[in-house]
Amino acid sequence: MISSTQGSGHYVCVQRKESPLAPQELILGILSPRLEANESGFLFEQIFKSMASLSQQFNFSLVWNGVVTMGSEASKQKIIEIIEKIIDRYIKNNVHGIFFIPIEFHPFADEINNLILHKLSQYNIKVVLVDSDFAAYPDKSAYDLVGIDNIAAGYEVTRHLLQNKTRRVDFLCENYSAHTVSMRIMGYRLALLEASLPAVAEWVHEGAVGDKKFINRILDSGATDIVCANDFTAMKLLSVCTQINRKVNVVGFDDNEYSALLGIPLTTYKQPFGDIAENAIFLMLNRLQFPQTAPRHLQLRGELIIRSSCGTLP
């Protein structure tokens, strides 16, 4: 290639081939389909904000079109239609990679997640899973994943409730919760076994947490200390208990903005939102540069934040 500069002369130049994924051209997207504005929406918003704050430092554009709430009654077909339209827009906008949060709280969640990932794979769009795998433990998917160590987290909050005393502790979650909740239950059961307590199946409750009859049945069965699947579940439980004038010790997970502002400040396992976001970006950049490397599953450590909801301050 010859370059001419008036008044200076003619020069032979080496033409440098630009990478198709040059940093200034890198576009990453978020795909976070929610059924309703629940706990997970607040949780993931913190992670997305952290990702956005890092976009200039790591030279990428972050597209949020895939953050969508569809309503708790949305059918499988309706959910698939909405998500396919989002993916089609991402394809047209030349999105190179997607941070995907698998859908939960739906009876066909596993089927929907598999369809989503299959379509992304068809168009060679790289995927990093955030918070949860779509495969149930101990299986692991062939995708990069970053989140907390949910088994360790379940163990730690249960051990805190026990406080070296041998007594019954229950676990409460909503129907069709994410696979992360199943792992928290494993950690909860591990703590019971370590305390020489039986992992009684009837102590794990899955249902509509806002239903007073459902909560009354749990409390009437003898539950006084309850590990909740997340802060949103704990908040609903405390609200119902206030209405029916019942007292329980409660711990949750996530440490969202409102956890310390409830009428009874909530003891909770804090998720490291900033660290999750940063490591998700590292995984994505590595996947784009080295697409043949084995998938990595990163488990980060959170922090137990002790407040007055469990009546067991240190």
Side-chain angles (χ1 to χ4, degrees), residues 13 24 92 110 127 155 161 179 190-191 216 234 237 264 268:
C13 302
Q24 65 270 24
K92 290 178 182 177
D110 288 345
V127 174
Y155 171 84
L161 267 184
H179 294 310
L190 181 61
N216 260 319
L237 172 62
I264 304 175
T268 182

Side-chain angles (χ1 to χ4, degrees), residues 258-283:
Y258 55 79
S259 299
L261 306 176
L262 298 173
I264 304 175
L266 184 63
T267 294
T268 182
Y269 190 87
K270 181 180 179 66
Q271 294 225 39
F273 300 125
D275 289 343
I276 290 173
E278 187 174 273
N279 279 279
I281 292 168
F282 289 154
L283 285 174

Side-chain angles (χ1 to χ4, degrees), residues 16-33:
R16 292 176 180 168
K17 187 177 181 180
E18 293 291 336
S19 166
L21 292 178
Q24 65 270 24
E25 299 174 356
L26 186 59
I27 303 173
L28 304 178
I30 295 171
L31 186 54
S32 177

Side-chain angles (χ1 to χ4, degrees), residues 19 67 71 147 180 245 270 287 307 311:
S19 166
V67 181
T180 51
N245 198 28
K270 181 180 179 66
R287 177 58 49 196
R307 302 190 181 102

